[in-house]
Amino acid sequence: MTEPVFPEGILSLKRSGEIPLAEQIYRGFREAVRTGLLRSGTKLPSTRRLAVSLNVGRNTVNTAYDLLQAEGVITVRTGAAPRVTEGLLPEGSNARPMADAGGPRLSRRGQTLSANLRGEGWAYRQGGLQPGAPALDLFPYEEWARCLRRAARLERSADLHYQNFAGLQALKQQIARHLAAERGVRAEPERILITSSTQASLTMLTQVLTDPGDEVWLEEPGYLGARTAFSGAALTIRPLPTDGDGADASKMGRLDTPPKLIYVTPSHHYPLGARMPLSRRLALLDVARTCGAVILEDDYDSEFLFEGRPVAALHGLADEGQVVYLGTFAKSLLPGLRIAYCVVPDILVAPLTQTMRNIGCSANVQAQAALARFMDSGAYQKHLKQIRPVYLERGTLLAETLKHRLGNQVEVAPLTGNVQLTVMFREPVNDIAVALAMQDRGFAVSPLSNCYLSEAGRPGLIVGFAGANPRQIEEGVDALAGLLGADVAC
């Protein structure tokens, strides 16, 4: 076999560049080997000869050769010329061809997890009237910045290492105080786990508490984040009927296959906004007790109550271990903080803490430290007190504008709280098409029908108001009025 010959002129050096000459030589040889220009076993010039050829110092070439030898690209032996390492193949030459040219195939689980489980028309991009979006113009940026600076300056302990998978103790203590005072939830800080989002909490709990094929109950219409978590765990989802008082477990019939989990939003039903009365909460607890199910209580938007007194959380009424309580700061502060929490039974603290370490759903420690200071200073309660009346004013304006502009074409859900409201169409309307058209016009509303498990879901839109100003509300309602009279709504 003919010995491979070193090709002249494979290196081109930039004398005035920022990259040192030795590194340029190293990169050039490595690229030539990668592409096959320098074949396995090729004899390379001596350091003296290459230095003369390139008009560089010999030490420069020595440095480049040392780097190549350290990576196994070339072999250097005393008394012999350096060579490209024997058996070294060009990149990709020994790769086995894929079954098809499309690349790796997703598993069945991967196909489920990567699918758009929220359905067509669900708004992913930012825009006016976006559901779930708090008011950016009301956020106390300066106070928050001070808390962040203090956290960055003072948190120099082991807390910043590989500890606190389940959350920072200081923040857990603040959340425990807040829940006891505001929601009747009494939990030791050790039972509070800090996650990056409610979606992360749901995914973790679902993976730990169920097996594929287990049955879960989900409100209909219901929160799509819960549906995606349940679908990703390959669970059997059974719709839990709702009405003006929220979820009604008495309509579930026989319990031949009892559920492992029951997901509810009793404070403000998502997306219709109903508040579950005490009698129905107690009835739900009885059903769960009978079938041995764990209730996932998502205390959705419990911070925003526009009328009446808040009803005690299910967690405060339940037996030990019967309810897992879920909360987040995404609506009361900002979604981008990526801080949520769940209150779990004692028996689940250790396994869920280990699970959080295994799957990596922990929240940023410095952000947690800043939030703990923010709450301890009273700034959090002050912020809630300031935004509640503004949210009520904006929600009332949206509801009145919809009723005035659209009249009998729509039914607007009662404004009891929340950061969005639901608009239901009285006539058959393709709400997905309307939502997409609204998004094209800069309004990130979402179709109500996507929240139903059955195909007979009621058409409508979920419309945010917390971050909306009067002009956005007026222009958004005008856009919707125009679409309802056009072909797109048919």
Side-chain angles (χ1 to χ4, degrees):
M1 179 181 294
T2 305
E3 182 177 276
V5 179
F6 177 77
E8 297 293 340
I10 66 168
L11 296 176
S12 177
L13 304 182
K14 294 183 179 180
R15 308 283 171 174
S16 60
E18 296 181 357
I19 302 175
L21 294 175
E23 186 171 346
Q24 292 186 50
I25 296 170
Y26 154 73
R27 290 185 183 184
F29 274 122
R30 190 179 60 173
E31 179 67 13
V33 172
R34 187 188 71 82
T35 58
L37 185 60
L38 280 180
R39 294 163 51 193
S40 170
T42 300
K43 182 189 297 184
L44 303 180
S46 67
T47 56
R48 186 185 304 276
R49 177 184 165 193
L50 186 60
V52 172
S53 173
L54 297 176
N55 192 25
V56 298
R58 188 177 178 186
N59 286 338
T60 299
V61 178
N62 282 331
T63 300
Y65 275 13
D66 286 344
L67 291 171
L68 292 166
Q69 183 180 16
E71 286 195 3
V73 176
I74 68 173
T75 302
V76 179
R77 294 186 177 90
T78 303
R83 291 179 180 269
V84 176
T85 301
E86 293 287 349
L88 198 64
L89 299 178
E91 185 177 300
S93 62
N94 60 344
R96 297 177 61 184
M98 299 295 293
D100 57 64
R105 293 181 178 179
L106 294 176
S107 65
R108 286 192 294 272
R109 180 176 61 252
Q111 292 174 17
T112 300
L113 291 173
S114 61
N116 179 13
L117 299 175
R118 287 170 170 79
E120 183 185 6
W122 199 261
Y124 284 97
R125 63 177 182 264
Q126 188 176 351
L129 308 181
Q130 183 173 4
L136 297 179
D137 60 319
L138 300 178
F139 185 75
Y141 291 100
E142 290 302 320
E143 180 65 29
W144 177 249
R146 283 192 289 270
C147 291
L148 279 175
R149 286 193 293 270
R150 289 190 64 188
R153 184 171 64 249
L154 299 178
E155 297 300 326
R156 298 180 182 179
S157 65
D159 286 335
L160 296 178
H161 288 196
Y162 291 102
Q163 287 92 309
N164 302 307
F165 297 106
L168 202 61
Q169 185 68 12
L171 180 56
K172 292 183 178 186
Q173 292 171 347
Q174 292 299 324
I175 293 175
R177 295 190 188 104
H178 173 75
L179 293 180
E182 300 292 330
R183 302 299 301 126
V185 174
R186 301 194 178 279
E188 299 80 8
E190 290 71 27
R191 294 173 55 193
I192 299 174
L193 308 180
I194 311 297
T195 66
S196 58
S197 65
T198 295
Q199 185 72 57
S201 299
L202 286 167
T203 299
M204 173 183 66
L205 291 164
T206 301
Q207 296 289 337
V208 170
L209 298 178
T210 64
D211 292 309
D214 283 346
E215 183 171 296
V216 295
W217 292 358
L218 173 63
E219 296 166 321
E220 183 173 53
Y223 178 52
L224 291 175
R227 189 198 300 180
T228 58
F230 298 157
S231 298
L235 304 181
T236 301
I237 305 175
R238 188 175 175 191
L240 175 59
T242 62
D243 56 24
D245 287 331
D248 188 356
S250 68
K251 296 182 180 179
M252 293 302 288
R254 296 177 57 184
L255 300 177
D256 296 330
T257 306
K260 286 290 188 69
L261 301 175
I262 301 174
Y263 172 87
V264 289
T265 52
S267 292
H268 288 118
H269 169 257
Y270 184 90
L272 300 181
R275 185 169 36 178
M276 187 185 293
L278 180 60
S279 59
R280 189 167 287 188
R281 294 176 187 232
L282 295 174
L284 175 62
L285 289 171
D286 284 340
V287 171
R289 189 178 299 111
T290 299
C291 61
V294 175
I295 296 176
L296 302 182
E297 179 186 12
D298 188 345
D299 210 14
Y300 189 81
D301 281 357
S302 61
E303 300 90 349
F304 309 118
L305 179 65
F306 297 155
E307 59 182 25
R309 294 179 59 84
V311 180
L314 275 172
H315 188 279
L317 304 171
D319 299 335
E320 169 62 26
Q322 194 177 10
V323 173
V324 172
Y325 180 94
L326 303 169
T328 180
F329 293 94
K331 310 299 187 300
S332 58
L333 292 175
L334 292 175
L337 296 183
R338 313 309 296 167
I339 298 180
Y341 58 90
C342 52
V343 182
V344 304
D346 285 334
I347 196 172
L348 292 180
V349 171
L352 286 173
T353 298
Q354 185 62 49
T355 299
M356 293 181 70
R357 180 175 187 177
N358 291 344
I359 66 177
C361 63
S362 303
N364 179 278
V365 172
Q366 286 189 325
Q368 291 183 58
L371 180 54
R373 296 182 187 281
F374 189 75
M375 297 179 75
D376 188 48
S377 69
Y380 183 60
Q381 284 297 331
K382 179 181 178 182
H383 176 61
L384 291 178
K385 186 177 180 179
Q386 289 177 337
I387 63 177
R388 283 183 187 122
V390 178
Y391 283 12
L392 172 59
E393 179 182 351
R394 293 175 178 181
T396 300
L397 177 60
L398 174 60
E400 292 178 348
T401 305
L402 285 164
K403 294 174 183 177
H404 175 74
R405 185 74 172 81
L406 300 175
N408 292 331
Q409 290 180 278
V410 299
E411 175 184 341
V412 180
L415 187 68
T416 59
N418 293 359
V419 293
Q420 69 265 320
L421 56 76
T422 303
V423 182
M424 292 161 282
F425 301 134
R426 295 186 183 277
E427 299 294 333
V429 170
N430 184 341
D431 61 347
I432 294 177
V434 173
L436 289 171
M438 287 286 286
Q439 292 166 29
D440 289 341
R441 289 158 175 76
F443 301 102
V445 300
S446 293
L448 174 62
S449 63
N450 286 21
C451 296
Y452 288 81
L453 288 164
S454 61
E455 295 183 0
R458 186 169 182 180
L461 296 177
I462 306 172
V463 185
F465 57 75
N469 57 47
R471 179 177 178 181
Q472 286 177 314
I473 290 174
E474 181 179 354
E475 292 177 350
V477 174
D478 284 345
L480 177 57
L483 290 169
L484 290 179
D487 292 340
V488 69
C490 299

Tab-separated table of all heavy atoms in Angstrom, residues 374-412:
chain	number	residue	atom	x	y	z
A	374	PHE	N	-38.097	39.537	50.021
A	374	PHE	CA	-39.221	40.328	49.515
A	374	PHE	C	-40.467	40.092	50.370
A	374	PHE	O	-41.187	41.036	50.724
A	374	PHE	CB	-39.471	39.942	48.058
A	374	PHE	CG	-40.455	40.801	47.334
A	374	PHE	CD1	-40.103	42.071	46.905
A	374	PHE	CD2	-41.724	40.337	47.061
A	374	PHE	CE1	-41.004	42.870	46.213
A	374	PHE	CE2	-42.636	41.122	46.369
A	374	PHE	CZ	-42.275	42.396	45.949
A	375	MET	N	-40.712	38.839	50.724
A	375	MET	CA	-41.880	38.504	51.539
A	375	MET	C	-41.681	38.947	52.983
A	375	MET	O	-42.599	39.485	53.611
A	375	MET	CB	-42.161	36.998	51.472
A	375	MET	CG	-42.506	36.501	50.084
A	375	MET	SD	-42.798	34.709	50.011
A	375	MET	CE	-44.429	34.616	50.777
A	376	ASP	N	-40.494	38.734	53.511
A	376	ASP	CA	-40.218	39.076	54.912
A	376	ASP	C	-40.323	40.579	55.155
A	376	ASP	O	-40.711	41.026	56.238
A	376	ASP	CB	-38.832	38.566	55.300
A	376	ASP	CG	-38.547	38.720	56.783
A	376	ASP	OD1	-39.409	38.338	57.593
A	376	ASP	OD2	-37.473	39.222	57.136
A	377	SER	N	-40.015	41.370	54.155
A	377	SER	CA	-40.064	42.832	54.304
A	377	SER	C	-41.479	43.394	54.246
A	377	SER	O	-41.693	44.576	54.509
A	377	SER	CB	-39.228	43.490	53.194
A	377	SER	OG	-39.853	43.313	51.925
A	378	GLY	N	-42.440	42.558	53.873
A	378	GLY	CA	-43.807	43.020	53.705
A	378	GLY	C	-44.123	43.502	52.312
A	378	GLY	O	-45.268	43.890	52.016
A	379	ALA	N	-43.121	43.498	51.418
A	379	ALA	CA	-43.320	44.010	50.055
A	379	ALA	C	-44.304	43.145	49.270
A	379	ALA	O	-45.038	43.670	48.415
A	379	ALA	CB	-41.985	44.083	49.324
A	380	TYR	N	-44.325	41.849	49.542
A	380	TYR	CA	-45.231	40.968	48.792
A	380	TYR	C	-46.690	41.297	49.116
A	380	TYR	O	-47.516	41.463	48.218
A	380	TYR	CB	-44.924	39.515	49.101
A	380	TYR	CG	-45.769	38.523	48.323
A	380	TYR	CD1	-45.739	38.500	46.941
A	380	TYR	CD2	-46.606	37.620	48.983
A	380	TYR	CE1	-46.510	37.595	46.220
A	380	TYR	CE2	-47.375	36.720	48.277
A	380	TYR	CZ	-47.327	36.706	46.895
A	380	TYR	OH	-48.100	35.815	46.189
A	381	GLN	N	-47.016	41.401	50.400
A	381	GLN	CA	-48.381	41.736	50.794
A	381	GLN	C	-48.774	43.123	50.290
A	381	GLN	O	-49.906	43.349	49.856
A	381	GLN	CB	-48.522	41.658	52.307
A	381	GLN	CG	-48.597	40.249	52.866
A	381	GLN	CD	-49.832	39.503	52.366
A	381	GLN	OE1	-50.865	40.076	52.074
A	381	GLN	NE2	-49.689	38.192	52.248
A	382	LYS	N	-47.826	44.056	50.336
A	382	LYS	CA	-48.094	45.401	49.830
A	382	LYS	C	-48.413	45.359	48.342
A	382	LYS	O	-49.342	46.043	47.869
A	382	LYS	CB	-46.880	46.291	50.092
A	382	LYS	CG	-47.038	47.718	49.583
A	382	LYS	CD	-45.770	48.530	49.851
A	382	LYS	CE	-45.896	49.947	49.299
A	382	LYS	NZ	-44.649	50.736	49.519
A	383	HIS	N	-47.641	44.551	47.590
A	383	HIS	CA	-47.873	44.437	46.149
A	383	HIS	C	-49.248	43.844	45.866
A	383	HIS	O	-49.986	44.349	44.998
A	383	HIS	CB	-46.777	43.562	45.541
A	383	HIS	CG	-46.947	43.285	44.088
A	383	HIS	ND1	-46.968	44.282	43.131
A	383	HIS	CD2	-47.117	42.107	43.413
A	383	HIS	CE1	-47.134	43.753	41.936
A	383	HIS	NE2	-47.227	42.432	42.084
A	384	LEU	N	-49.630	42.787	46.587
A	384	LEU	CA	-50.948	42.180	46.385
A	384	LEU	C	-52.059	43.192	46.670
A	384	LEU	O	-53.057	43.265	45.934
A	384	LEU	CB	-51.111	40.954	47.282
A	384	LEU	CG	-50.264	39.731	46.940
A	384	LEU	CD1	-50.511	38.618	47.954
A	384	LEU	CD2	-50.571	39.223	45.534
A	385	LYS	N	-51.885	43.958	47.735
A	385	LYS	CA	-52.896	44.951	48.095
A	385	LYS	C	-53.052	46.012	47.013
A	385	LYS	O	-54.160	46.520	46.768
A	385	LYS	CB	-52.515	45.598	49.428
A	385	LYS	CG	-53.566	46.547	49.982
A	385	LYS	CD	-53.146	47.083	51.340
A	385	LYS	CE	-54.197	48.041	51.895
A	385	LYS	NZ	-53.808	48.566	53.243
A	386	GLN	N	-51.944	46.344	46.353
A	386	GLN	CA	-51.990	47.378	45.317
A	386	GLN	C	-52.597	46.884	44.017
A	386	GLN	O	-53.290	47.628	43.321
A	386	GLN	CB	-50.579	47.916	45.068
A	386	GLN	CG	-50.022	48.765	46.207
A	386	GLN	CD	-48.598	49.208	45.961
A	386	GLN	OE1	-47.862	48.580	45.195
A	386	GLN	NE2	-48.186	50.298	46.609
A	387	ILE	N	-52.312	45.633	43.647
A	387	ILE	CA	-52.757	45.170	42.330
A	387	ILE	C	-54.194	44.657	42.330
A	387	ILE	O	-54.841	44.662	41.270
A	387	ILE	CB	-51.821	44.087	41.767
A	387	ILE	CG1	-51.814	42.824	42.641
A	387	ILE	CG2	-50.428	44.639	41.570
A	387	ILE	CD1	-50.950	41.710	42.084
A	388	ARG	N	-54.736	44.227	43.467
A	388	ARG	CA	-56.103	43.692	43.474
A	388	ARG	C	-57.116	44.688	42.934
A	388	ARG	O	-57.909	44.351	42.046
A	388	ARG	CB	-56.481	43.236	44.890
A	388	ARG	CG	-55.863	41.903	45.294
A	388	ARG	CD	-56.345	41.492	46.677
A	388	ARG	NE	-55.649	40.312	47.159
A	388	ARG	CZ	-54.959	40.259	48.282
A	388	ARG	NH1	-54.859	41.345	49.048
A	388	ARG	NH2	-54.366	39.140	48.658
A	389	PRO	N	-57.170	45.926	43.438
A	389	PRO	CA	-58.169	46.864	42.893
A	389	PRO	C	-57.933	47.220	41.429
A	389	PRO	O	-58.892	47.456	40.682
A	389	PRO	CB	-58.033	48.092	43.795
A	389	PRO	CG	-56.679	47.990	44.421
A	389	PRO	CD	-56.417	46.540	44.567
A	390	VAL	N	-56.674	47.238	41.008
A	390	VAL	CA	-56.386	47.533	39.601
A	390	VAL	C	-56.874	46.383	38.726
A	390	VAL	O	-57.475	46.610	37.658
A	390	VAL	CB	-54.876	47.776	39.387
A	390	VAL	CG1	-54.580	48.038	37.915
A	390	VAL	CG2	-54.400	48.935	40.231
A	391	TYR	N	-56.627	45.143	39.163
A	391	TYR	CA	-57.107	43.991	38.394
A	391	TYR	C	-58.629	43.990	38.317
A	391	TYR	O	-59.213	43.670	37.278
A	391	TYR	CB	-56.603	42.690	39.028
A	391	TYR	CG	-55.147	42.380	38.740
A	391	TYR	CD1	-54.300	43.320	38.174
A	391	TYR	CD2	-54.612	41.128	39.046
A	391	TYR	CE1	-52.969	43.046	37.919
A	391	TYR	CE2	-53.278	40.833	38.791
A	391	TYR	CZ	-52.468	41.794	38.237
A	391	TYR	OH	-51.143	41.506	37.985
A	392	LEU	N	-59.281	44.327	39.422
A	392	LEU	CA	-60.740	44.402	39.420
A	392	LEU	C	-61.215	45.455	38.429
A	392	LEU	O	-62.160	45.228	37.657
A	392	LEU	CB	-61.240	44.729	40.825
A	392	LEU	CG	-62.739	45.023	40.956
A	392	LEU	CD1	-63.567	43.832	40.479
A	392	LEU	CD2	-63.091	45.383	42.398
A	393	GLU	N	-60.569	46.610	38.423
A	393	GLU	CA	-60.953	47.683	37.500
A	393	GLU	C	-60.774	47.253	36.047
A	393	GLU	O	-61.665	47.470	35.210
A	393	GLU	CB	-60.104	48.921	37.798
A	393	GLU	CG	-60.387	50.105	36.876
A	393	GLU	CD	-59.481	51.278	37.175
A	393	GLU	OE1	-58.762	51.239	38.183
A	393	GLU	OE2	-59.476	52.247	36.377
A	394	ARG	N	-59.640	46.605	35.738
A	394	ARG	CA	-59.390	46.190	34.365
A	394	ARG	C	-60.314	45.051	33.947
A	394	ARG	O	-60.801	45.015	32.809
A	394	ARG	CB	-57.927	45.776	34.214
A	394	ARG	CG	-56.962	46.944	34.374
A	394	ARG	CD	-55.497	46.533	34.348
A	394	ARG	NE	-54.630	47.701	34.470
A	394	ARG	CZ	-53.303	47.650	34.454
A	394	ARG	NH1	-52.676	46.479	34.317
A	394	ARG	NH2	-52.593	48.754	34.568
A	395	GLY	N	-60.564	44.112	34.855
A	395	GLY	CA	-61.474	43.018	34.533
A	395	GLY	C	-62.892	43.501	34.322
A	395	GLY	O	-63.602	43.035	33.417
A	396	THR	N	-63.329	44.445	35.148
A	396	THR	CA	-64.679	44.997	35.006
A	396	THR	C	-64.813	45.735	33.685
A	396	THR	O	-65.842	45.614	32.990
A	396	THR	CB	-64.978	45.954	36.176
A	396	THR	OG1	-64.880	45.232	37.416
A	396	THR	CG2	-66.365	46.544	36.049
A	397	LEU	N	-63.789	46.497	33.314
A	397	LEU	CA	-63.829	47.217	32.042
A	397	LEU	C	-63.916	46.244	30.874
A	397	LEU	O	-64.702	46.463	29.928
A	397	LEU	CB	-62.584	48.098	31.904
A	397	LEU	CG	-62.448	48.861	30.583
A	397	LEU	CD1	-63.624	49.797	30.378
A	397	LEU	CD2	-61.117	49.623	30.532
A	398	LEU	N	-63.153	45.158	30.913
A	398	LEU	CA	-63.202	44.176	29.831
A	398	LEU	C	-64.577	43.537	29.753
A	398	LEU	O	-65.158	43.409	28.659
A	398	LEU	CB	-62.128	43.106	30.039
A	398	LEU	CG	-62.148	41.938	29.053
A	398	LEU	CD1	-61.966	42.428	27.620
A	398	LEU	CD2	-61.083	40.913	29.414
A	399	ALA	N	-65.136	43.124	30.890
A	399	ALA	CA	-66.445	42.471	30.895
A	399	ALA	C	-67.522	43.414	30.372
A	399	ALA	O	-68.368	43.019	29.546
A	399	ALA	CB	-66.780	42.003	32.306
A	400	GLU	N	-67.508	44.670	30.821
A	400	GLU	CA	-68.532	45.634	30.378
A	400	GLU	C	-68.387	45.963	28.899
A	400	GLU	O	-69.382	46.108	28.182
A	400	GLU	CB	-68.443	46.893	31.230
A	400	GLU	CG	-68.864	46.672	32.682
A	400	GLU	CD	-68.711	47.931	33.522
A	400	GLU	OE1	-68.060	48.892	33.031
A	400	GLU	OE2	-69.208	47.951	34.654
A	401	THR	N	-67.133	46.075	28.428
A	401	THR	CA	-66.910	46.373	27.010
A	401	THR	C	-67.390	45.231	26.131
A	401	THR	O	-67.991	45.449	25.071
A	401	THR	CB	-65.419	46.655	26.755
A	401	THR	OG1	-64.974	47.703	27.617
A	401	THR	CG2	-65.178	47.065	25.311
A	402	LEU	N	-67.126	43.996	26.548
A	402	LEU	CA	-67.592	42.832	25.797
A	402	LEU	C	-69.116	42.800	25.722
A	402	LEU	O	-69.700	42.577	24.647
A	402	LEU	CB	-67.078	41.550	26.458
A	402	LEU	CG	-65.605	41.211	26.249
A	402	LEU	CD1	-65.147	40.164	27.249
A	402	LEU	CD2	-65.372	40.714	24.821
A	403	LYS	N	-69.771	43.025	26.846
A	403	LYS	CA	-71.242	42.990	26.867
A	403	LYS	C	-71.831	44.122	26.048
A	403	LYS	O	-72.816	43.938	25.309
A	403	LYS	CB	-71.732	43.058	28.310
A	403	LYS	CG	-71.370	41.844	29.157
A	403	LYS	CD	-71.753	42.050	30.610
A	403	LYS	CE	-71.322	40.879	31.467
A	403	LYS	NZ	-71.631	41.091	32.908
A	404	HIS	N	-71.246	45.310	26.146
A	404	HIS	CA	-71.763	46.467	25.412
A	404	HIS	C	-71.543	46.314	23.912
A	404	HIS	O	-72.450	46.607	23.110
A	404	HIS	CB	-71.080	47.738	25.911
A	404	HIS	CG	-71.451	48.969	25.130
A	404	HIS	ND1	-72.687	49.590	25.252
A	404	HIS	CD2	-70.744	49.689	24.204
A	404	HIS	CE1	-72.726	50.628	24.424
A	404	HIS	NE2	-71.561	50.716	23.790
A	405	ARG	N	-70.375	45.824	23.516
A	405	ARG	CA	-70.023	45.757	22.091
A	405	ARG	C	-70.632	44.541	21.404
A	405	ARG	O	-71.020	44.620	20.232
A	405	ARG	CB	-68.497	45.722	21.961
A	405	ARG	CG	-67.990	45.774	20.529
A	405	ARG	CD	-68.122	47.154	19.947
A	405	ARG	NE	-67.470	47.257	18.671
A	405	ARG	CZ	-67.996	46.857	17.507
A	405	ARG	NH1	-69.205	46.319	17.493
A	405	ARG	NH2	-67.327	47.000	16.390
A	406	LEU	N	-70.728	43.406	22.117
A	406	LEU	CA	-71.163	42.161	21.477
A	406	LEU	C	-72.555	41.724	21.891
A	406	LEU	O	-73.134	40.835	21.254
A	406	LEU	CB	-70.156	41.046	21.791
A	406	LEU	CG	-68.734	41.314	21.299
A	406	LEU	CD1	-67.799	40.210	21.763
A	406	LEU	CD2	-68.701	41.425	19.781
A	407	GLY	N	-73.103	42.303	22.938
A	407	GLY	CA	-74.480	42.026	23.332
A	407	GLY	C	-74.775	40.554	23.527
A	407	GLY	O	-74.064	39.840	24.242
A	408	ASN	N	-75.813	40.073	22.864
A	408	ASN	CA	-76.270	38.692	23.025
A	408	ASN	C	-75.417	37.676	22.270
A	408	ASN	O	-75.704	36.481	22.318
A	408	ASN	CB	-77.728	38.566	22.566
A	408	ASN	CG	-78.682	39.309	23.479
A	408	ASN	OD1	-78.404	39.449	24.666
A	408	ASN	ND2	-79.787	39.801	22.922
A	409	GLN	N	-74.400	38.135	21.586
A	409	GLN	CA	-73.533	37.191	20.875
A	409	GLN	C	-72.675	36.362	21.827
A	409	GLN	O	-72.231	35.276	21.492
A	409	GLN	CB	-72.604	37.927	19.902
A	409	GLN	CG	-73.293	38.532	18.695
A	409	GLN	CD	-72.301	39.233	17.790
A	409	GLN	OE1	-71.921	40.378	18.025
A	409	GLN	NE2	-71.858	38.528	16.766
A	410	VAL	N	-72.434	36.899	23.030
A	410	VAL	CA	-71.536	36.218	23.960
A	410	VAL	C	-72.149	36.157	25.352
A	410	VAL	O	-73.050	36.920	25.697
A	410	VAL	CB	-70.171	36.926	24.036
A	410	VAL	CG1	-69.488	36.942	22.687
A	410	VAL	CG2	-70.310	38.335	24.599
A	411	GLU	N	-71.592	35.240	26.127
A	411	GLU	CA	-71.885	35.160	27.557
A	411	GLU	C	-70.545	35.287	28.286
A	411	GLU	O	-69.614	34.542	28.010
A	411	GLU	CB	-72.539	33.824	27.891
A	411	GLU	CG	-72.776	33.609	29.374
A	411	GLU	CD	-73.333	32.234	29.665
A	411	GLU	OE1	-73.867	31.587	28.740
A	411	GLU	OE2	-73.213	31.782	30.828
A	412	VAL	N	-70.467	36.218	29.192
A	412	VAL	CA	-69.223	36.479	29.910
A	412	VAL	C	-69.312	35.858	31.298
A	412	VAL	O	-70.262	36.112	32.042
A	412	VAL	CB	-68.949	37.989	30.021
A	412	VAL	CG1	-67.639	38.246	30.770
A	412	VAL	CG2	-68.902	38.622	28.636
